[in-house]
Amino acid sequence: MRIGVLTAGGDCPGLNAVIRSVVHRAVTNYGDEVIGFEDGYAGLLEGHYRGLDLDAVSGILARGGTILGSSRLQRDRLREACENAQDMAREFGIDVLIPIGGEGTLTAARMLSDAGLPVVGVPKTIDNDISSTDRTFGFDTAVGVATEAMDRLKTTAESHQRVMVVEVMGRHAGWIALESGMAAGAHGICLPERAFDPADLVKMVEERFARGKKFAVVCVAEGAHPAEGTMDYGHGAIDQFGHERFQGIGTALAYELERRLGKEAKPVILGHIQRGGTPTAYDRVLATRFGWHAVEAAHRSDFGRMTALRGTDVVMVPLAEATTELKTVPKDRMDEAESVF
Ligand code: F6P
């Protein structure tokens, strides 16, 4: 069998672990040939690929990013890919394509699959917002980075009697903010799923200072937004991939809290540091298991599906099921975290 692999969308720790796992299982167990398309679907459309043998994936398990490169795909190019899906498979001689990516990548994978390309998807994203899988790899690493950042910010905040507003990633799903906020003991957590009122945060900080506490940490997801009429904060424009460009809620909220409280409030935007560097052990293991199961699925001709974690088992689920809606933070998970506003 000849297998094509690509990584698309925003990168995430663990991508290399999947690539390595696919090559190990495919080459060692089945004697397959594996090729890697460069820079996401662009490599598939433009015919940029290279062979991946055991040497090519040696030493990449713990490496962040993706050795294949990544990019986002514009809608018109996706249409072009779908029109030529079967020709592309013939041209590259691939029996199956394994795209590793988030919601956008898996939606494209589903469309390519519907157009006749044999596809087995592997979900990834630090946001943990893909339906049908309990976890995506990359999330554990991002939560760890954000938690460590907040642990560190607490000591400096306390020294200077400051409020730290820490903005983490998460456009529509607040999983990183929820779990890192809980793990770090943030005093306020703001999620995209629930509009917050800055007056509640002001009250929380004032109560803390009244109890003799000298600092506060607020963890805010980049997609969090204040309730209508509570604070000046606009919606951003939509970029060429259909994603909203956010206005910077961390900075806006820090400014607002400083103005209302008369205390120093500093924004800290963690940004892409949450996605960079080595994956945690958990993410390496999950990524490796997903790669193994993707190859097994390919050999069973179990196409149009993706790997998913259910409990502790890896199962295959239809791509259609996984891409219909985002997995956002449900109310009961918010209720468990007393600091969600
Ligand atoms: O989807 C993963 C993610 O890291 C989001 O959390 C974030 O909003 C987005 O990608 C950032 O995208 P880019 O790398 O294009 O700035």
Side-chain angles (χ1 to χ4, degrees), residues 165-246:
V165 179
V166 185
E167 183 185 300
V168 299
M169 281 185 166
R171 289 189 184 109
H172 305 289
W175 291 106
I176 298 176
L178 179 80
E179 296 215 351
S180 65
M182 283 178 88
H187 309 105
I189 301 175
C190 302
L191 308 176
E193 290 85 349
R194 177 186 283 174
F196 65 90
D197 185 342
D200 294 334
L201 291 163
V202 167
K203 191 162 161 256
M204 176 275 289
V205 176
E206 280 174 341
E207 279 171 8
R208 277 184 60 75
F209 276 74
R211 280 192 289 124
K213 304 288 177 193
K214 296 220 161 81
F215 73 104
V217 171
V218 176
C219 178
V220 56
E222 63 183 330
H225 51 95
E228 191 83 26
T230 58
M231 179 184 139
D232 211 12
Y233 184 67
H235 285 282
I238 303 295
D239 73 12
Q240 58 181 323
F241 306 107
H243 298 148
E244 185 179 348
R245 278 188 208 281
F246 293 107

Side-chain angles (χ1 to χ4, degrees), residues 319-332:
L319 281 166
E321 185 188 303
T323 52
T324 40
E325 62 177 333
L326 280 184
K327 184 181 69 188
T328 51
V329 177
K331 185 177 173 303
D332 58 333

